[in-house]
Amino acid sequence: MNASKGLTPEKVLANAQTLRWEVGSDFHEKLMESLYSDAAQIAEKAVHKPGEKARFDLDRTIDKLVTSRLWGFPIMLLLFTLVFWITISGANIPSGWLASLLLDTVHPWLKGLAASIGVPWWLDGFLIDGVYLATAWVVSVMLPPMAIFFPLFTLLEDFGYLPRMAFNLDKVFKKSGAHGKQALSMMMGFGCNAAGVIATRIIDSPRERLIAMITNNFALCNGRWPTQILVATIFIGGLVPAHLAGLISATAVVGVAILGVLFTFLVSWALSKTVLRGEVSTFSLELPPYRPPRILQTLYTSMIDRTIYVLWRAVVFAAPAGAVIWLSANIQIGGVSIAEHLINFLNPVGVLIGLNGVILLAYVVAIPANEIVIPTVLMLTVLVSGMSGVGSGTGVMFELESQGATKAILDAGGWTLLTGVNLMLFSLVHNPCSTTIYTIYKESGSLKWTTIAALLPLGMGFALTFLVAQVWRLLS
Amino acid sequence: MDEVKELKVQPSAEACATCPVHNAANLLKLGVNMQDWDFVVALAGNPNTGKSTIFNALTGLRQHTGNWPGKTVTRAEGGFEYGDHRYKLVDLPGTYSLLATSLDEEVARDFILFGQPDVTVVMADATRLERNLNLVLQVLEITDRVVVCLNLMDEAKRHGLEVDERRLARELGVPVVPTVARYGEGMKELLAAIADVAIGKTVNKPHRLRSTPPELKEKVAELTAQIEVLHPNLPNARWVALRLLDGDERIAEALRKGELGDLTRTAGEAAQQSVGVRLEATT
């Protein structure tokens, strides 16, 4: 009693602080575990569920497996590789159909129609070769992979797998000094970064919310999946025998996505150790019961909410971009088109980082929407490489019947395996699209953090591709 | 079930005049009229467990209280008279826990802790008992003046679940009242249970967390003892110790300022006022 006589609140708090160090950082988890196990014990005694026993146990069994320390991450990787493999190998055929319809049939028909009613060449070029072809290209390239990828992703979501992924990732996020709920906003980011930034509203601490907003860009959004899938198919898949190509390309895409997750952790950690220092807050994540996915509803909602939404956005941005590209390729200054001026200007920097001027210009054009990077790259490459026999004129986006044809163009543009790899990396690590930047501004209300969110990944992208290029050239 | 009971009670009403179940018929819904209340009753629970339905049934108000974070809600306080006493009922935001990691959890937690309601009714969804018990157990760590309202019994039955409320009451150490709030079933029993806890007729022996890891027990006990020296009348010293070990700044501040030790009625009222204001401001 003597020792406690002079006990003041300050002393008790100091004691508590010392004891806090002794109980360790997993005290909260232990507390929650004891809470849950008590609740489970009591519930088990008080509730009898005669008919439901089997299903209840199945849920438990699945949870034990997919959230286990040993199997949690391998299962995640396996599932996503499977999803991308189905997407990549399934998208080629419908892509071909759409291309032959929109580009081989409708485009000549439109041209013929324009010629028969006497439309001047510049209007015909601007509208049909610029706006229409860009739009048609985006539709035929993007619709099939999205129509496969999004329903599969939505099925996983509907089944209840995503909260388990968040559960698996929670520990790593905490170690990075970020909020565990960031796993959920990152999941949303895999669909769309702007949506992911809005989803950070579930995080209450402003510090952790900013971290989540700034790093959301490292979740590969659906505007970038097509770039990843196409470049992986051409450059990575092309390295191995045909029967392995699909699987290897899928693995490469998953690899880039994982790299994005690693960057999320790394940048979160760096931010929480420097400009956004503070204590990690904790939360309880409710794992909803597994439900058998409703296949038809899933197909419908993923079609309406995701596929059509994303496609519409791509079309809205691709149409004016097509017009701009056509104009920049056809308006000449000093005998050389504007596009070529810009490409020549950007080329030294591009080559330095293992890319080229075309790619950099494409990324400037594609600030509103990442979706149009690949069409723009192809069109501009044909323009500067002076290839003949492909496309139908200067500044015209064109169809490519096969990946082989795409590769032929890229080879003519001086592309190598390094260009492909660095394009995949740059596509992952560069500034967010303008919609996302605007959303970050609206959500954070801060010009400073918005600027950081936009420029930090861009700087990282330049540094990363520069490093890879130097090492690559040193080794080869 | 309820109908049967009513039939049994009605004919022999005279004989049961002193029976609390009979008194249930004396419920007077006071709406927003909350003058001179004798007891304060807080309504806590997970979102969507029927808190608002119970609130409306007891006060006669028609609050639309979708208390999800980010959604707006009007002032959720009302009054009722039951037996010889007047009660003020406060509808707290629906939360899954009281760890105060978000604003609505903090509001609910602060009201139960600092507002010191005479009774806290915790609504539990009978179809998801295990999950709901997480909150019940957390409330039991803070206060022993608790009545658990086991709602959605009809849905539980439809799902083929049999919930043994007596077993549950024994495990939790507090009264458990099964209800179907939507159809008013179990309201009389709930009122009786609230009144008994309020006037001190029922003395609870609430469940306290058992599964604490042994290596932590000693440290929790050490800190608890120190807190008890500071505040000998504190009913939840162990919970305060757990919160301090978990790094809860709000509780540390309360200890520093001596807010925890002040168990007088006026302090509770003042705290209720301030929490009430924040409740309006945030939800």
Side-chain angles (χ1 to χ4, degrees), chain B residues 64-97:
Chain B
H64 178 77
T65 45
N67 267 331
W68 284 92
K71 292 208 173 146
T72 43
V73 69
T74 45
R75 188 185 183 84
E77 284 184 17
F80 65 91
E81 197 176 301
Y82 172 74
D84 299 324
H85 299 287
R86 291 164 78 90
Y87 295 80
K88 182 165 97 168
L89 189 61
V90 180
D91 193 8
L92 298 175
T95 56
Y96 291 109
S97 87

PDB file of all heavy atoms in Angstrom, chain B residues 64-97:
ATOM      1  N   HIS B  64     -36.560   7.939 -38.107  1.00  0.00           N
ATOM      2  CA  HIS B  64     -35.863   7.139 -39.120  1.00  0.00           C
ATOM      3  C   HIS B  64     -34.390   7.205 -38.759  1.00  0.00           C
ATOM      4  O   HIS B  64     -33.731   8.191 -39.022  1.00  0.00           O
ATOM      5  CB  HIS B  64     -36.108   7.661 -40.517  1.00  0.00           C
ATOM      6  CG  HIS B  64     -35.369   6.883 -41.551  1.00  0.00           C
ATOM      7  ND1 HIS B  64     -35.797   5.652 -41.981  1.00  0.00           N
ATOM      8  CD2 HIS B  64     -34.217   7.129 -42.187  1.00  0.00           C
ATOM      9  CE1 HIS B  64     -34.929   5.185 -42.860  1.00  0.00           C
ATOM     10  NE2 HIS B  64     -33.953   6.064 -42.995  1.00  0.00           N
ATOM     11  N   THR B  65     -33.896   6.195 -38.126  1.00  0.00           N
ATOM     12  CA  THR B  65     -32.538   6.282 -37.605  1.00  0.00           C
ATOM     13  C   THR B  65     -31.625   5.260 -38.259  1.00  0.00           C
ATOM     14  O   THR B  65     -31.223   4.288 -37.656  1.00  0.00           O
ATOM     15  CB  THR B  65     -32.504   6.087 -36.088  1.00  0.00           C
ATOM     16  OG1 THR B  65     -33.343   4.979 -35.768  1.00  0.00           O
ATOM     17  CG2 THR B  65     -32.995   7.308 -35.374  1.00  0.00           C
ATOM     18  N   GLY B  66     -31.358   5.456 -39.519  1.00  0.00           N
ATOM     19  CA  GLY B  66     -30.365   4.609 -40.189  1.00  0.00           C
ATOM     20  C   GLY B  66     -28.984   5.088 -39.806  1.00  0.00           C
ATOM     21  O   GLY B  66     -28.380   5.864 -40.514  1.00  0.00           O
ATOM     22  N   ASN B  67     -28.491   4.582 -38.711  1.00  0.00           N
ATOM     23  CA  ASN B  67     -27.276   5.144 -38.125  1.00  0.00           C
ATOM     24  C   ASN B  67     -25.977   4.669 -38.759  1.00  0.00           C
ATOM     25  O   ASN B  67     -25.024   4.345 -38.079  1.00  0.00           O
ATOM     26  CB  ASN B  67     -27.243   4.815 -36.637  1.00  0.00           C
ATOM     27  CG  ASN B  67     -27.853   5.918 -35.815  1.00  0.00           C
ATOM     28  OD1 ASN B  67     -27.808   7.066 -36.234  1.00  0.00           O
ATOM     29  ND2 ASN B  67     -28.404   5.588 -34.692  1.00  0.00           N
ATOM     30  N   TRP B  68     -25.933   4.577 -40.061  1.00  0.00           N
ATOM     31  CA  TRP B  68     -24.672   4.211 -40.694  1.00  0.00           C
ATOM     32  C   TRP B  68     -23.771   5.420 -40.750  1.00  0.00           C
ATOM     33  O   TRP B  68     -24.249   6.526 -40.951  1.00  0.00           O
ATOM     34  CB  TRP B  68     -24.924   3.676 -42.110  1.00  0.00           C
ATOM     35  CG  TRP B  68     -25.452   2.317 -42.088  1.00  0.00           C
ATOM     36  CD1 TRP B  68     -26.768   1.957 -42.088  1.00  0.00           C
ATOM     37  CD2 TRP B  68     -24.701   1.109 -42.032  1.00  0.00           C
ATOM     38  NE1 TRP B  68     -26.870   0.598 -42.035  1.00  0.00           N
ATOM     39  CE2 TRP B  68     -25.619   0.046 -42.002  1.00  0.00           C
ATOM     40  CE3 TRP B  68     -23.334   0.819 -41.990  1.00  0.00           C
ATOM     41  CZ2 TRP B  68     -25.214  -1.276 -41.935  1.00  0.00           C
ATOM     42  CZ3 TRP B  68     -22.945  -0.490 -41.929  1.00  0.00           C
ATOM     43  CH2 TRP B  68     -23.870  -1.523 -41.905  1.00  0.00           C
ATOM     44  N   PRO B  69     -22.496   5.193 -40.536  1.00  0.00           N
ATOM     45  CA  PRO B  69     -21.597   6.337 -40.599  1.00  0.00           C
ATOM     46  C   PRO B  69     -21.741   7.042 -41.937  1.00  0.00           C
ATOM     47  O   PRO B  69     -21.806   6.399 -42.982  1.00  0.00           O
ATOM     48  CB  PRO B  69     -20.210   5.718 -40.443  1.00  0.00           C
ATOM     49  CG  PRO B  69     -20.375   4.264 -40.585  1.00  0.00           C
ATOM     50  CD  PRO B  69     -21.791   3.945 -40.284  1.00  0.00           C
ATOM     51  N   GLY B  70     -21.832   8.358 -41.865  1.00  0.00           N
ATOM     52  CA  GLY B  70     -21.960   9.119 -43.096  1.00  0.00           C
ATOM     53  C   GLY B  70     -23.395   9.433 -43.442  1.00  0.00           C
ATOM     54  O   GLY B  70     -23.667  10.313 -44.241  1.00  0.00           O
ATOM     55  N   LYS B  71     -24.338   8.692 -42.872  1.00  0.00           N
ATOM     56  CA  LYS B  71     -25.731   9.003 -43.158  1.00  0.00           C
ATOM     57  C   LYS B  71     -26.259   9.937 -42.075  1.00  0.00           C
ATOM     58  O   LYS B  71     -25.851   9.880 -40.938  1.00  0.00           O
ATOM     59  CB  LYS B  71     -26.551   7.716 -43.182  1.00  0.00           C
ATOM     60  CG  LYS B  71     -26.190   6.831 -44.347  1.00  0.00           C
ATOM     61  CD  LYS B  71     -27.369   5.986 -44.756  1.00  0.00           C
ATOM     62  CE  LYS B  71     -27.009   5.237 -46.024  1.00  0.00           C
ATOM     63  NZ  LYS B  71     -27.610   3.937 -46.087  1.00  0.00           N
ATOM     64  N   THR B  72     -27.178  10.782 -42.454  1.00  0.00           N
ATOM     65  CA  THR B  72     -27.688  11.744 -41.488  1.00  0.00           C
ATOM     66  C   THR B  72     -28.744  11.094 -40.603  1.00  0.00           C
ATOM     67  O   THR B  72     -29.401  10.149 -40.983  1.00  0.00           O
ATOM     68  CB  THR B  72     -28.322  12.939 -42.195  1.00  0.00           C
ATOM     69  OG1 THR B  72     -29.093  12.449 -43.266  1.00  0.00           O
ATOM     70  CG2 THR B  72     -27.283  13.901 -42.677  1.00  0.00           C
ATOM     71  N   VAL B  73     -28.866  11.622 -39.422  1.00  0.00           N
ATOM     72  CA  VAL B  73     -29.874  11.103 -38.523  1.00  0.00           C
ATOM     73  C   VAL B  73     -30.308  12.235 -37.606  1.00  0.00           C
ATOM     74  O   VAL B  73     -29.529  13.108 -37.259  1.00  0.00           O
ATOM     75  CB  VAL B  73     -29.330   9.900 -37.732  1.00  0.00           C
ATOM     76  CG1 VAL B  73     -28.271  10.332 -36.755  1.00  0.00           C
ATOM     77  CG2 VAL B  73     -30.436   9.182 -37.023  1.00  0.00           C
ATOM     78  N   THR B  74     -31.587  12.222 -37.257  1.00  0.00           N
ATOM     79  CA  THR B  74     -32.086  13.267 -36.375  1.00  0.00           C
ATOM     80  C   THR B  74     -31.828  12.877 -34.926  1.00  0.00           C
ATOM     81  O   THR B  74     -31.376  11.784 -34.640  1.00  0.00           O
ATOM     82  CB  THR B  74     -33.598  13.460 -36.585  1.00  0.00           C
ATOM     83  OG1 THR B  74     -34.194  12.174 -36.632  1.00  0.00           O
ATOM     84  CG2 THR B  74     -33.867  14.212 -37.865  1.00  0.00           C
ATOM     85  N   ARG B  75     -32.117  13.818 -34.062  1.00  0.00           N
ATOM     86  CA  ARG B  75     -31.882  13.583 -32.633  1.00  0.00           C
ATOM     87  C   ARG B  75     -32.610  12.314 -32.190  1.00  0.00           C
ATOM     88  O   ARG B  75     -33.807  12.167 -32.365  1.00  0.00           O
ATOM     89  CB  ARG B  75     -32.408  14.771 -31.849  1.00  0.00           C
ATOM     90  CG  ARG B  75     -32.048  14.729 -30.397  1.00  0.00           C
ATOM     91  CD  ARG B  75     -32.730  15.913 -29.693  1.00  0.00           C
ATOM     92  NE  ARG B  75     -32.337  15.944 -28.303  1.00  0.00           N
ATOM     93  CZ  ARG B  75     -31.226  16.514 -27.882  1.00  0.00           C
ATOM     94  NH1 ARG B  75     -30.422  17.065 -28.739  1.00  0.00           N
ATOM     95  NH2 ARG B  75     -30.930  16.524 -26.604  1.00  0.00           N
ATOM     96  N   ALA B  76     -31.842  11.382 -31.615  1.00  0.00           N
ATOM     97  CA  ALA B  76     -32.417  10.092 -31.282  1.00  0.00           C
ATOM     98  C   ALA B  76     -32.593   9.960 -29.779  1.00  0.00           C
ATOM     99  O   ALA B  76     -31.956   9.149 -29.130  1.00  0.00           O
ATOM    100  CB  ALA B  76     -31.544   8.977 -31.845  1.00  0.00           C
ATOM    101  N   GLU B  77     -33.439  10.833 -29.208  1.00  0.00           N
ATOM    102  CA  GLU B  77     -33.749  10.714 -27.792  1.00  0.00           C
ATOM    103  C   GLU B  77     -35.246  10.799 -27.610  1.00  0.00           C
ATOM    104  O   GLU B  77     -35.920  11.557 -28.313  1.00  0.00           O
ATOM    105  CB  GLU B  77     -33.078  11.851 -26.999  1.00  0.00           C
ATOM    106  CG  GLU B  77     -31.600  11.652 -26.800  1.00  0.00           C
ATOM    107  CD  GLU B  77     -31.003  12.750 -25.938  1.00  0.00           C
ATOM    108  OE1 GLU B  77     -31.773  13.452 -25.253  1.00  0.00           O
ATOM    109  OE2 GLU B  77     -29.779  12.889 -25.961  1.00  0.00           O
ATOM    110  N   GLY B  78     -35.770  10.022 -26.695  1.00  0.00           N
ATOM    111  CA  GLY B  78     -37.199  10.066 -26.447  1.00  0.00           C
ATOM    112  C   GLY B  78     -37.486   9.621 -25.028  1.00  0.00           C
ATOM    113  O   GLY B  78     -36.573   9.212 -24.306  1.00  0.00           O
ATOM    114  N   GLY B  79     -38.751   9.735 -24.627  1.00  0.00           N
ATOM    115  CA  GLY B  79     -39.069   9.363 -23.260  1.00  0.00           C
ATOM    116  C   GLY B  79     -40.232   8.391 -23.170  1.00  0.00           C
ATOM    117  O   GLY B  79     -41.022   8.265 -24.103  1.00  0.00           O
ATOM    118  N   PHE B  80     -40.290   7.668 -22.058  1.00  0.00           N
ATOM    119  CA  PHE B  80     -41.480   6.852 -21.780  1.00  0.00           C
ATOM    120  C   PHE B  80     -41.632   6.716 -20.277  1.00  0.00           C
ATOM    121  O   PHE B  80     -40.693   6.932 -19.509  1.00  0.00           O
ATOM    122  CB  PHE B  80     -41.407   5.485 -22.462  1.00  0.00           C
ATOM    123  CG  PHE B  80     -40.301   4.587 -21.971  1.00  0.00           C
ATOM    124  CD1 PHE B  80     -40.512   3.699 -20.918  1.00  0.00           C
ATOM    125  CD2 PHE B  80     -39.056   4.598 -22.589  1.00  0.00           C
ATOM    126  CE1 PHE B  80     -39.499   2.861 -20.480  1.00  0.00           C
ATOM    127  CE2 PHE B  80     -38.038   3.760 -22.153  1.00  0.00           C
ATOM    128  CZ  PHE B  80     -38.259   2.889 -21.091  1.00  0.00           C
ATOM    129  N   GLU B  81     -42.860   6.412 -19.877  1.00  0.00           N
ATOM    130  CA  GLU B  81     -43.116   6.211 -18.460  1.00  0.00           C
ATOM    131  C   GLU B  81     -43.549   4.777 -18.270  1.00  0.00           C
ATOM    132  O   GLU B  81     -44.359   4.246 -19.034  1.00  0.00           O
ATOM    133  CB  GLU B  81     -44.227   7.167 -17.999  1.00  0.00           C
ATOM    134  CG  GLU B  81     -44.285   7.319 -16.502  1.00  0.00           C
ATOM    135  CD  GLU B  81     -45.341   8.338 -16.098  1.00  0.00           C
ATOM    136  OE1 GLU B  81     -45.233   9.500 -16.529  1.00  0.00           O
ATOM    137  OE2 GLU B  81     -46.276   7.968 -15.368  1.00  0.00           O
ATOM    138  N   TYR B  82     -42.995   4.151 -17.279  1.00  0.00           N
ATOM    139  CA  TYR B  82     -43.324   2.750 -17.059  1.00  0.00           C
ATOM    140  C   TYR B  82     -43.323   2.499 -15.565  1.00  0.00           C
ATOM    141  O   TYR B  82     -42.375   2.869 -14.877  1.00  0.00           O
ATOM    142  CB  TYR B  82     -42.301   1.855 -17.757  1.00  0.00           C
ATOM    143  CG  TYR B  82     -42.459   0.390 -17.434  1.00  0.00           C
ATOM    144  CD1 TYR B  82     -43.509  -0.358 -17.981  1.00  0.00           C
ATOM    145  CD2 TYR B  82     -41.583  -0.236 -16.570  1.00  0.00           C
ATOM    146  CE1 TYR B  82     -43.661  -1.683 -17.671  1.00  0.00           C
ATOM    147  CE2 TYR B  82     -41.727  -1.575 -16.253  1.00  0.00           C
ATOM    148  CZ  TYR B  82     -42.770  -2.292 -16.807  1.00  0.00           C
ATOM    149  OH  TYR B  82     -42.926  -3.611 -16.491  1.00  0.00           O
ATOM    150  N   GLY B  83     -44.373   1.856 -15.082  1.00  0.00           N
ATOM    151  CA  GLY B  83     -44.489   1.678 -13.640  1.00  0.00           C
ATOM    152  C   GLY B  83     -44.600   3.052 -13.003  1.00  0.00           C
ATOM    153  O   GLY B  83     -45.367   3.892 -13.452  1.00  0.00           O
ATOM    154  N   ASP B  84     -43.782   3.325 -12.031  1.00  0.00           N
ATOM    155  CA  ASP B  84     -43.850   4.628 -11.376  1.00  0.00           C
ATOM    156  C   ASP B  84     -42.724   5.549 -11.818  1.00  0.00           C
ATOM    157  O   ASP B  84     -42.484   6.572 -11.198  1.00  0.00           O
ATOM    158  CB  ASP B  84     -43.765   4.439  -9.846  1.00  0.00           C
ATOM    159  CG  ASP B  84     -44.920   3.600  -9.344  1.00  0.00           C
ATOM    160  OD1 ASP B  84     -46.022   3.747  -9.914  1.00  0.00           O
ATOM    161  OD2 ASP B  84     -44.717   2.787  -8.424  1.00  0.00           O
ATOM    162  N   HIS B  85     -42.010   5.154 -12.847  1.00  0.00           N
ATOM    163  CA  HIS B  85     -40.821   5.922 -13.193  1.00  0.00           C
ATOM    164  C   HIS B  85     -40.857   6.430 -14.625  1.00  0.00           C
ATOM    165  O   HIS B  85     -41.493   5.848 -15.487  1.00  0.00           O
ATOM    166  CB  HIS B  85     -39.565   5.059 -12.994  1.00  0.00           C
ATOM    167  CG  HIS B  85     -39.399   4.602 -11.575  1.00  0.00           C
ATOM    168  ND1 HIS B  85     -39.006   5.443 -10.573  1.00  0.00           N
ATOM    169  CD2 HIS B  85     -39.609   3.388 -11.003  1.00  0.00           C
ATOM    170  CE1 HIS B  85     -38.968   4.769  -9.438  1.00  0.00           C
ATOM    171  NE2 HIS B  85     -39.332   3.515  -9.662  1.00  0.00           N
ATOM    172  N   ARG B  86     -40.139   7.523 -14.787  1.00  0.00           N
ATOM    173  CA  ARG B  86     -40.001   8.084 -16.121  1.00  0.00           C
ATOM    174  C   ARG B  86     -38.597   7.799 -16.637  1.00  0.00           C
ATOM    175  O   ARG B  86     -37.620   7.907 -15.903  1.00  0.00           O
ATOM    176  CB  ARG B  86     -40.257   9.593 -16.094  1.00  0.00           C
ATOM    177  CG  ARG B  86     -41.697   9.939 -15.816  1.00  0.00           C
ATOM    178  CD  ARG B  86     -41.810  11.388 -15.410  1.00  0.00           C
ATOM    179  NE  ARG B  86     -41.741  12.274 -16.568  1.00  0.00           N
ATOM    180  CZ  ARG B  86     -42.817  12.663 -17.256  1.00  0.00           C
ATOM    181  NH1 ARG B  86     -44.012  12.241 -16.909  1.00  0.00           N
ATOM    182  NH2 ARG B  86     -42.695  13.469 -18.276  1.00  0.00           N
ATOM    183  N   TYR B  87     -38.523   7.444 -17.898  1.00  0.00           N
ATOM    184  CA  TYR B  87     -37.249   7.040 -18.485  1.00  0.00           C
ATOM    185  C   TYR B  87     -36.910   7.917 -19.679  1.00  0.00           C
ATOM    186  O   TYR B  87     -37.797   8.306 -20.438  1.00  0.00           O
ATOM    187  CB  TYR B  87     -37.311   5.581 -18.971  1.00  0.00           C
ATOM    188  CG  TYR B  87     -37.500   4.561 -17.880  1.00  0.00           C
ATOM    189  CD1 TYR B  87     -38.763   4.329 -17.341  1.00  0.00           C
ATOM    190  CD2 TYR B  87     -36.420   3.817 -17.407  1.00  0.00           C
ATOM    191  CE1 TYR B  87     -38.947   3.389 -16.353  1.00  0.00           C
ATOM    192  CE2 TYR B  87     -36.600   2.867 -16.413  1.00  0.00           C
ATOM    193  CZ  TYR B  87     -37.867   2.662 -15.881  1.00  0.00           C
ATOM    194  OH  TYR B  87     -38.039   1.721 -14.903  1.00  0.00           O
ATOM    195  N   LYS B  88     -35.623   8.191 -19.802  1.00  0.00           N
ATOM    196  CA  LYS B  88     -35.159   8.830 -21.042  1.00  0.00           C
ATOM    197  C   LYS B  88     -34.406   7.773 -21.847  1.00  0.00           C
ATOM    198  O   LYS B  88     -33.514   7.099 -21.327  1.00  0.00           O
ATOM    199  CB  LYS B  88     -34.226  10.006 -20.742  1.00  0.00           C
ATOM    200  CG  LYS B  88     -33.770  10.708 -22.016  1.00  0.00           C
ATOM    201  CD  LYS B  88     -33.167  12.067 -21.711  1.00  0.00           C
ATOM    202  CE  LYS B  88     -31.661  11.949 -21.645  1.00  0.00           C
ATOM    203  NZ  LYS B  88     -31.019  13.281 -21.625  1.00  0.00           N
ATOM    204  N   LEU B  89     -34.794   7.626 -23.111  1.00  0.00           N
ATOM    205  CA  LEU B  89     -34.189   6.593 -23.956  1.00  0.00           C
ATOM    206  C   LEU B  89     -33.299   7.258 -25.010  1.00  0.00           C
ATOM    207  O   LEU B  89     -33.725   8.178 -25.703  1.00  0.00           O
ATOM    208  CB  LEU B  89     -35.297   5.791 -24.644  1.00  0.00           C
ATOM    209  CG  LEU B  89     -34.895   4.534 -25.405  1.00  0.00           C
ATOM    210  CD1 LEU B  89     -34.241   3.525 -24.490  1.00  0.00           C
ATOM    211  CD2 LEU B  89     -36.127   3.916 -26.061  1.00  0.00           C
ATOM    212  N   VAL B  90     -32.053   6.826 -25.104  1.00  0.00           N
ATOM    213  CA  VAL B  90     -31.121   7.401 -26.076  1.00  0.00           C
ATOM    214  C   VAL B  90     -30.683   6.326 -27.063  1.00  0.00           C
ATOM    215  O   VAL B  90     -30.147   5.289 -26.671  1.00  0.00           O
ATOM    216  CB  VAL B  90     -29.873   7.987 -25.379  1.00  0.00           C
ATOM    217  CG1 VAL B  90     -28.924   8.583 -26.399  1.00  0.00           C
ATOM    218  CG2 VAL B  90     -30.291   9.038 -24.366  1.00  0.00           C
ATOM    219  N   ASP B  91     -30.961   6.574 -28.335  1.00  0.00           N
ATOM    220  CA  ASP B  91     -30.602   5.626 -29.396  1.00  0.00           C
ATOM    221  C   ASP B  91     -29.178   5.934 -29.858  1.00  0.00           C
ATOM    222  O   ASP B  91     -28.920   6.990 -30.411  1.00  0.00           O
ATOM    223  CB  ASP B  91     -31.591   5.797 -30.555  1.00  0.00           C
ATOM    224  CG  ASP B  91     -31.507   4.663 -31.547  1.00  0.00           C
ATOM    225  OD1 ASP B  91     -30.789   3.680 -31.261  1.00  0.00           O
ATOM    226  OD2 ASP B  91     -32.160   4.755 -32.596  1.00  0.00           O
ATOM    227  N   LEU B  92     -28.261   5.017 -29.613  1.00  0.00           N
ATOM    228  CA  LEU B  92     -26.864   5.241 -30.004  1.00  0.00           C
ATOM    229  C   LEU B  92     -26.625   4.761 -31.429  1.00  0.00           C
ATOM    230  O   LEU B  92     -27.368   3.922 -31.929  1.00  0.00           O
ATOM    231  CB  LEU B  92     -25.928   4.501 -29.041  1.00  0.00           C
ATOM    232  CG  LEU B  92     -25.997   4.948 -27.585  1.00  0.00           C
ATOM    233  CD1 LEU B  92     -25.121   4.058 -26.719  1.00  0.00           C
ATOM    234  CD2 LEU B  92     -25.574   6.395 -27.451  1.00  0.00           C
ATOM    235  N   PRO B  93     -25.583   5.281 -32.094  1.00  0.00           N
ATOM    236  CA  PRO B  93     -25.281   4.795 -33.443  1.00  0.00           C
ATOM    237  C   PRO B  93     -24.982   3.295 -33.415  1.00  0.00           C
ATOM    238  O   PRO B  93     -24.385   2.800 -32.462  1.00  0.00           O
ATOM    239  CB  PRO B  93     -24.015   5.575 -33.837  1.00  0.00           C
ATOM    240  CG  PRO B  93     -23.931   6.714 -32.901  1.00  0.00           C
ATOM    241  CD  PRO B  93     -24.631   6.316 -31.657  1.00  0.00           C
ATOM    242  N   GLY B  94     -25.408   2.599 -34.443  1.00  0.00           N
ATOM    243  CA  GLY B  94     -25.127   1.164 -34.519  1.00  0.00           C
ATOM    244  C   GLY B  94     -23.659   0.928 -34.793  1.00  0.00           C
ATOM    245  O   GLY B  94     -23.081   1.525 -35.693  1.00  0.00           O
ATOM    246  N   THR B  95     -23.039   0.073 -33.985  1.00  0.00           N
ATOM    247  CA  THR B  95     -21.608  -0.182 -34.183  1.00  0.00           C
ATOM    248  C   THR B  95     -21.332  -1.670 -33.989  1.00  0.00           C
ATOM    249  O   THR B  95     -22.087  -2.373 -33.342  1.00  0.00           O
ATOM    250  CB  THR B  95     -20.749   0.579 -33.159  1.00  0.00           C
ATOM    251  OG1 THR B  95     -21.187   0.224 -31.853  1.00  0.00           O
ATOM    252  CG2 THR B  95     -20.850   2.070 -33.345  1.00  0.00           C
ATOM    253  N   TYR B  96     -20.249  -2.106 -34.572  1.00  0.00           N
ATOM    254  CA  TYR B  96     -19.837  -3.495 -34.393  1.00  0.00           C
ATOM    255  C   TYR B  96     -18.954  -3.658 -33.161  1.00  0.00           C
ATOM    256  O   TYR B  96     -18.791  -4.750 -32.654  1.00  0.00           O
ATOM    257  CB  TYR B  96     -19.066  -3.993 -35.619  1.00  0.00           C
ATOM    258  CG  TYR B  96     -19.934  -4.127 -36.838  1.00  0.00           C
ATOM    259  CD1 TYR B  96     -19.792  -3.250 -37.901  1.00  0.00           C
ATOM    260  CD2 TYR B  96     -20.901  -5.118 -36.908  1.00  0.00           C
ATOM    261  CE1 TYR B  96     -20.593  -3.355 -39.018  1.00  0.00           C
ATOM    262  CE2 TYR B  96     -21.710  -5.233 -38.015  1.00  0.00           C
ATOM    263  CZ  TYR B  96     -21.550  -4.350 -39.070  1.00  0.00           C
ATOM    264  OH  TYR B  96     -22.352  -4.450 -40.171  1.00  0.00           O
ATOM    265  N   SER B  97     -18.333  -2.555 -32.731  1.00  0.00           N
ATOM    266  CA  SER B  97     -17.488  -2.657 -31.553  1.00  0.00           C
ATOM    267  C   SER B  97     -17.462  -1.325 -30.832  1.00  0.00           C
ATOM    268  O   SER B  97     -18.044  -0.347 -31.286  1.00  0.00           O
ATOM    269  CB  SER B  97     -16.074  -3.086 -31.937  1.00  0.00           C
ATOM    270  OG  SER B  97     -15.301  -1.952 -32.258  1.00  0.00           O
TER     271      SER B  97
END
